[in-house]
Amino acid sequence: TQLHAIAMALFMGIGALGCGVMQAQTSTPTVSGGSLPSLVTYAKPAPTHAQFDLLSEVATCAPVQPFWAAVRVKLDPGWHIYWINYGDAGEATSLIWNLPPGWQAGPVQWPTPERQLSAGLMDYIYENSAVFLTQITPPASIVPGSNVTLKAKIHWMVCSNVCLQPTDTDLS
């Protein structure tokens, strides 16, 4: 599907649908006659066993033109986080966008989780990596050259043969 292609392109760090993926501290992209600083900055390091990145499908942004943004998680071998419906044990992962006034975030597109049966309990997990896509729509009132910071908060719990305390990670 198109969402799967976008997620894979964002995960691999290459352009999706002909658009460049923005990386941390990139040069200032141009936007409809002006410039708009990078929509994506560096990931805040996770406390343990998981690293999160905030990514964007586009290198430029135009008024009322939706684009895909994503939170990508990379997990240490043997560790996992949980899907929104975590199953019999664990804690749901959640993602909340904190956008500038007038910007809108669509629903998070959660990838299909893996099923894990352990000690008679069925859980729904992500191992290795996952990409959580959200369609972002800028307002009509974008001012070319203005600064924009997108922020997201992800709530997660990482487990292996033990679970660590649930954690919130802020990305911007």
Side-chain angles (χ1 to χ4, degrees):
T1 67
Q2 183 181 16
L3 285 179
H4 179 72
I6 292 168
M8 288 306 298
L10 286 170
F11 177 75
M12 299 301 292
I14 59 176
L17 305 176
C19 299
V21 174
M22 298 174 61
Q23 297 297 325
Q25 302 173 339
T26 60
S27 60
T28 303
T30 58
V31 179
S32 302
S35 62
L36 187 67
S38 174
L39 294 175
V40 177
T41 57
Y42 36 90
K44 182 177 181 179
T48 56
H49 307 294
Q51 178 183 357
F52 294 89
D53 298 296
L54 188 59
L55 306 171
S56 175
E57 168 193 19
V58 298
T60 60
C61 176
V64 197
Q65 294 297 311
F67 62 92
W68 291 99
V71 171
R72 175 180 60 188
V73 59
K74 293 181 181 178
L75 297 153
D76 288 347
W79 291 84
H80 61 269
I81 62 172
Y82 293 89
W83 186 42
I84 53 173
N85 174 5
Y86 52 88
D88 295 327
E91 184 155 322
T93 297
S94 64
L95 174 60
I96 299 171
W97 290 91
N98 182 8
L99 303 174
W103 290 69
Q104 297 180 351
V108 176
Q109 304 298 308
W110 299 96
T112 303
E114 298 176 40
R115 291 173 36 165
Q116 179 186 56
L117 183 60
S118 177
L121 301 174
M122 179 62 69
D123 296 322
Y124 301 96
I125 64 168
Y126 299 111
E127 291 183 296
N128 302 316
S129 63
V131 177
F132 310 119
L133 289 169
T134 304
Q135 193 169 59
I136 305 293
T137 304
S141 61
I142 288 178
V143 177
S146 63
N147 292 325
V148 172
T149 301
L150 301 182
K151 297 178 181 179
K153 178 178 281 197
I154 188 158
H155 178 80
W156 54 284
M157 183 170 74
V158 65
C159 297
S160 182
N161 59 344
V162 298
C163 291
L164 303 182
Q165 179 145 354
T167 303
D168 288 333
T169 299
D170 294 309
L171 302 169
S172 63

